[in-house]
């Protein structure tokens, strides 16, 4: 062993011990895996200025283990782990993301280490990695009551104190030690804006009596990933089930790859998404995706980044479409009789209830086998033209009968006058049409 490797011997020992523990855990069966995914999707919430996903804690047995065989860590990565207390736990949150791990290995992590402490509790932003498309914030908290219950909210503000127009996600924090320290990450997506020069991380508990708040402000170092964006034209057309879409380009960033897809305006169906998308290289490695920014005309699909490991060959694969006929998109609900008109044949309104100022609608959806998306709505309006927003949406995957259940909360829906009309924004209608196309890899 060289002198360069000696400082990391202890770290490798600890990671190898973690690996043995993970290897001994049983792999969850399909129903458990579906339940985990359902829990993630049920937590989706839409806000006016940004979109957040609140994700429940996932059993360690469900985490994909990146390290296989004998663990070797580079000095750069080992330095990152050693800089932040308890980082072995945070590694479990990001190690399924090959691209992010490689970006950190390339010393693109900005060490922050800024703390706000009062009333015996503290929040520390330990580090951040960012490029033009994505930011991942690593933070720890100490002395917080109810940390494991996720009884808090997070806001992200720019240098002027305004909410960032971004989508971001965070999960229930994980204990970093036996001393009341918890850790988590915030994953931020920039689709309509750029990373700010200065960021304020606001941590707020949900206790109505106190409503305590912690603020950490720090400059964002853009120089670490400056001019690293690479654009690769693709320009290929795919036709599935009579519906057409064009794969326009792939944009490579250190933290992820963004694939831009445009839907043909003459399609008879509205495409909500393309199923089971993955990029596969010449070695059979899959660079996967679990999120996308979707508009009426297309979507930007986010994959693990291969910026620091450019393949010789790359293939885009998918299994079919999630789509509905355009004449089935608009439904009408009569609050007085709980009757539903319009929509696809498999959609049925089970219950319409008032909860405070909001209304909650429960639906059943037939033929929703193996669905990976739930039901939600947009363009909600009453008879007088008053508009409403979806406050919360959730769903449970289908059982053996192929029937799924969904529930949607409409903010201030109790004030609606007359029938509510709504346009379906997402729906679990899947087709089986596998496809693959070659994607150029050299910018």
């Amino acid at each position: 062993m060289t002198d360069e490797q000696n400082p990391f011997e202890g770290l490798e020992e600890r990671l190898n011990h973690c690996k043995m523990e993970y290897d001994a855990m049983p792999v969850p069966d399909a129903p458990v895996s579906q339940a985990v995914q359902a829990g993630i999707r049920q937590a989706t919430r839409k806000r006016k200025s940004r979109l957040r996903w609140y994700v429940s804690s996932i059993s360690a047995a469900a985490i994909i283990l990146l390290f296989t065989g004998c663990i070797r860590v580079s000095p750069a990565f080992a330095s990152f782990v050693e800089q932040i207390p308890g980082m072995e736990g945070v590694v479990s949150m990001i190690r399924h993301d090959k691209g992010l791990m490689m970006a950190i290995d390339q010393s693109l992590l900005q060490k922050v280490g800024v703390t706000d402490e009062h009333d015996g509790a503290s929040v520390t932003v330990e580090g951040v990695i960012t490029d033009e498309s994505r930011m991942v914030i690593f933070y720890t908290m100490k002395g917080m009551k109810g940390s494991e219950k996720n009884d808090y909210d997070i806001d992200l503000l720019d240098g002027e104190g305004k909410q960032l127009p971004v989508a971001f996600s965070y999960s229930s924090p994980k204990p970093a030690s036996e001393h009341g320290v918890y850790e988590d990450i915030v994953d931020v997506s920039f689709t309509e804006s750029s990373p700010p020069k200065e960021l304020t991380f606001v941590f707020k508990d949900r206790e109505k009596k106190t409503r305590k708040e912690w603020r950490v402000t720090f400059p964002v170092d853009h120089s670490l990933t400056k001019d690293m964006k690479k654009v690769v034209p693709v320009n290929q057309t795919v036709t599935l089930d009579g519906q057409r879409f064009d794969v326009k380009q792939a944009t490579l960033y250190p933290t992820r790859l963004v694939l831009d897809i445009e839907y043909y305006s003459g399609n008879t169906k509205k495409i909500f998404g393309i199923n089971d998308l993955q990029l596969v290289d010449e070695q059979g490695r899959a660079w996967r995706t679990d999120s996308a920014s979707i508009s009426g005309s297309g979507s930007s699909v986010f994959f693990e980044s291969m910026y620091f490991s450019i393949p010789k060959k790359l293939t885009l694969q998918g299994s079919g479409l999630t789509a509905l006929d355009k004449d089935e998109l608009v439904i009408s609900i009569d609050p007085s009789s709980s009757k539903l008109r319009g929509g696809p044949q498999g959609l049925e309104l089970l219950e319409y209830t008032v909860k405070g100022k909001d209304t909650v609608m429960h639906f059943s959806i037939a033929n929703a086998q193996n669905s990976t998306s739930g039901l939600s709505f947009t363009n909600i309006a009453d008879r007088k033209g008053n508009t409403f927003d979806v406050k919360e949406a959730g769903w449970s995957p289908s059982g053996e009968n192929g029937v799924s259940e969904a529930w949607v909360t409409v903010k201030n829906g109790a004030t609606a006058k007359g029938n509510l009309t709504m346009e379906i924004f997402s729906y679990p209608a899947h087709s089986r049409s596998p496809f693959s196309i070659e994607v150029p890899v050299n910018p």
Side-chain angles (χ1 to χ4, degrees), residues 25-132:
M25 292 180 179
V27 178
D29 56 19
V32 174
S33 179
Q34 289 175 359
V36 170
Q37 293 301 318
I40 292 173
R41 287 185 287 268
Q42 287 170 17
T44 303
R45 296 182 178 181
K46 187 174 182 181
R47 298 290 179 89
K48 286 184 179 180
S49 60
R50 58 208 183 278
L51 185 65
R52 301 179 178 184
W53 293 274
Y54 298 90
V55 185
S56 302
S57 288
I58 299 176
S59 163
I63 296 172
I64 300 173
L65 183 63
L66 175 68
F67 300 115
T68 57
C70 181
I71 296 175
R72 270 296 169 208
V73 290
S74 72
F77 181 74
S79 175
F80 161 71
V81 174
E82 294 288 16
Q83 281 179 36
I84 302 179
M87 275 307 301
E88 290 93 332
V90 172
V91 167
S92 70
M93 302 178 195
I94 65 171
R95 61 181 165 196
H96 63 282
D97 189 325
K98 298 187 288 292
L100 189 59
M101 295 286 283
M102 285 188 285
I104 291 173
D105 198 42
Q106 294 292 322
S107 301
L108 298 184
L109 176 78
Q110 174 191 346
K111 184 72 170 69
V112 178
V114 179
T115 301
D116 184 19
E117 181 176 6
H118 52 82
D119 300 320
S122 65
V123 172
T124 302
V125 174
E126 305 285 3
V128 61
I129 181 168
T130 188
D131 52 34
E132 296 176 46

Side-chain angles (χ1 to χ4, degrees), residues 230-234 248-252 257-260 439-440:
K230 299 177 181 179
V231 179
V232 182
V234 180
K248 307 297 287 185
Q249 66 180 28
T251 306
L252 272 169
L257 180 149
V258 181
L259 193 68
D260 290 324
V439 176

